[in-house]
Amino acid sequence: MSAPPSGTAILLFLKVTLHVGFAVLLGVATLGLLAGGGVNGSRYGWAALAAVLAGVYLAGTLVEKRFAAGTSGFDPRRYAVLWLGTVTVLWVMLLAGSADFSWLAFPLFFLHLHVLPRPVALVNIALLTAAVIASQWAASGQAVPHVALVLGPVVGAAFSVVTGLAYRALYRDAENQRRAADELRRTRADLARTQHDAGVLAERERLAREIHDTLAQGLSSILLVARAAEKSLRDGDSATAGERLALVQQTAAENLAEARHFVRGLASPQLQESSLVDALRRLCDETGALAAARGSGLRCRLEVEGGPAELPQPYTVALLRAAQASLANVREHAGAGTAVVTLAFLGNEVTLDIFDDGVGFDPAGLDPVGVDPAGPRPDGRGFGLRSLQDRVAVLGGSLDLESAPGEGTVVAVRLPLDGSENQA
């Protein structure tokens, strides 16, 4: 079975029927007037008046149609009463010339009910009905009008009123549906815009985290090692300078690979051909080498507890970035002699602890995860732990920081496992 027509389709059908009916009735009445003859050519005068009525009616309907279709900025609704009054006056004048124009009263009934307030429309319909009865009575030449002559226009008017009120109710319902549809479209547009903005913000945050944890840390290391190489050259130690320049090239190459991969949203290249354990072990070796290039005696080692599990890519990336950011802080700020990275697989969770025996600090001025409440500093520092906290929070994990002056620092990351990971 086909779906029932919508209210808008019914309204359009009724509107077209109304306009066509008005045109047909006006044309039939005009032809009857011309065929009936007249004195001193007056029938052509009445025909001209009918043409004026047709022009006024057509102009109003065309302007209203263009406005409804959105092709015209002119709003005809403020002139609707004036237009209806003009049409009605022209019809009354034609009715005085020929009773054949009486039938035009029925389309006019609908127009009055649609344009005017209901009480005013009902009064006007009563007056129009009386005008029709008077015209029919005058045309019949009877001293007393026949009951059918009165009853016909009255019943027609009553039927028109009932139909017009139903049309008006349907029109209001269609308008409500249109407004609801417009509101739904605006809501969808706002939602799409909000989702787009959220997606842009999320991508910016992702890039910020990746840039900080890879490029920023790598460039910082390159700068420090390059300065150390420059010092070696000034001291005449070309062998050490060459080693440090080779480390600069290696670090630059690794960061270039990182940049190319995170732009494409891929995993870290350090994790593509090796496990997390191997990547962390290389990171510890690189940390020691970078510290040595700066003249520091920092020793870094990796300890693994439990049977290594095959972790999802987001877990391995988050843990590797946590180790990178934490060891970078150890190299730059801790003044430590030893750093220990402990990766533990505990069945229902995986943990990563980064400990150093450096100078430590008082975390009293920081929030529970060691982030400065004031946010990153103007030079871009202070973003690492906040970025790491966001990474861990997305995976449902936790990040804790413990430190005290002179007692070193521990960064602890906990990520829950759902038990579906395959043991390696």
Side-chain angles (χ1 to χ4, degrees):
M1 296 179 62
S2 60
S6 64
T8 303
I10 296 174
L11 284 175
L12 179 62
F13 174 76
L14 292 176
K15 184 184 295 186
V16 171
T17 302
L18 174 67
H19 296 331
V20 171
F22 187 92
V24 170
L25 292 174
L26 180 60
V28 169
T30 303
L31 291 176
L33 179 67
L34 292 174
V39 181
N40 297 326
S42 61
R43 56 182 176 172
Y44 297 108
W46 292 114
L49 186 60
V52 172
L53 174 58
V56 172
Y57 189 93
L58 180 62
T61 56
L62 290 178
V63 171
E64 189 274 337
K65 181 180 179 181
R66 292 184 60 192
F67 176 76
T71 59
S72 172
F74 176 74
D75 187 356
R77 289 174 295 188
R78 68 183 68 179
Y79 303 103
V81 175
L82 176 61
W83 172 79
L84 179 62
T86 303
V87 169
T88 303
V89 169
L90 291 173
W91 171 76
V92 171
M93 294 173 62
L94 288 172
L95 188 64
S98 173
D100 291 340
F101 292 97
S102 299
W103 301 108
L104 286 172
F106 297 106
L108 289 177
F109 291 161
F110 288 104
L111 290 175
H112 279 259
L113 285 170
H114 181 66
V115 174
L116 301 175
R118 184 181 301 176
V120 177
L122 293 177
V123 171
N124 286 354
I125 290 173
L127 294 176
L128 295 179
T129 303
V132 170
I133 294 174
S135 176
Q136 296 283 355
W137 184 13
S140 66
Q142 300 175 0
V144 178
H146 193 273
V147 64
L149 190 146
V150 176
L151 190 59
V154 170
V155 172
F159 179 79
S160 298
V161 167
V162 172
T163 306
L165 293 178
Y167 172 86
R168 191 167 185 174
L170 186 61
Y171 176 81
R172 284 196 301 266
D173 183 64
E175 281 294 296
N176 291 335
Q177 291 181 3
R178 182 188 62 79
R179 285 192 291 268
D182 291 341
E183 181 65 26
L184 179 59
R185 282 191 291 269
R186 285 192 296 269
T187 302
R188 287 179 175 174
D190 292 341
L191 180 60
R193 193 160 45 247
T194 300
Q195 291 176 338
H196 175 267
D197 293 343
V200 170
L201 180 59
E203 181 63 12
R204 287 177 178 174
E205 291 178 350
R206 182 187 77 85
L207 291 176
R209 288 195 297 266
E210 297 293 344
I211 290 172
H212 177 274
D213 294 343
T214 56
L215 298 185
Q217 301 294 352
L219 291 173
S220 176
S221 298
I222 290 172
L223 179 61
L224 294 173
V225 176
R227 288 174 179 173
E230 182 183 14
K231 182 177 181 302
S232 297
L233 288 174
R234 286 198 305 266
D235 295 341
D237 188 355
S238 58
T240 302
E243 292 176 357
R244 291 173 176 174
L245 288 176
L247 185 57
V248 167
Q249 293 178 1
Q250 178 186 347
T251 305
E254 291 175 353
N255 277 264
L256 179 59
E258 288 280 5
R260 288 171 174 169
H261 281 76
F262 78 66
V263 166
R264 295 194 297 267
L266 301 178
S268 171
Q270 301 181 41
L271 296 171
Q272 287 188 321
E273 298 180 356
S274 62
S275 66
L276 174 62
V277 173
D278 293 335
L280 290 175
R281 185 170 290 112
R282 284 197 305 272
L283 177 62
C284 286
D285 295 340
E286 292 171 2
T287 299
L290 290 170
R294 296 175 55 190
S296 170
L298 175 63
R299 297 177 303 278
C300 180
R301 71 176 187 270
L302 172 67
E303 295 181 356
V304 180
E305 299 178 359
E310 185 177 331
L311 301 175
Q313 178 181 316
Y315 278 50
T316 58
V317 173
L319 293 173
L320 178 60
R321 296 293 185 245
Q324 288 173 327
S326 300
L327 290 177
N329 286 334
V330 172
R331 289 197 314 268
E332 295 184 16
H333 309 298
T338 301
V340 180
V341 178
T342 303
L343 179 65
F345 299 88
L346 305 178
N348 61 347
E349 68 177 2
V350 59
T351 67
L352 180 71
D353 297 331
I354 301 95
F355 161 77
D356 71 81
D357 60 358
V359 296
F361 61 94
D362 183 4
L366 305 178
D367 67 15
V369 297
V371 178
D372 188 344
R377 296 189 289 275
D379 62 357
R381 296 177 180 269
F383 183 80
L385 285 174
R386 185 175 298 277
S387 169
L388 181 54
Q389 179 191 17
D390 292 340
R391 285 184 184 275
V392 173
V394 168
L395 300 176
S398 63
L399 172 67
D400 297 308
L401 185 145
E402 298 179 5
S403 185
E407 298 184 7
T409 303
V410 177
V411 176
V413 177
R414 302 286 184 271
L415 296 177
L417 300 177
D418 59 9
S420 62
E421 290 78 7
N422 298 322
Q423 293 297 319

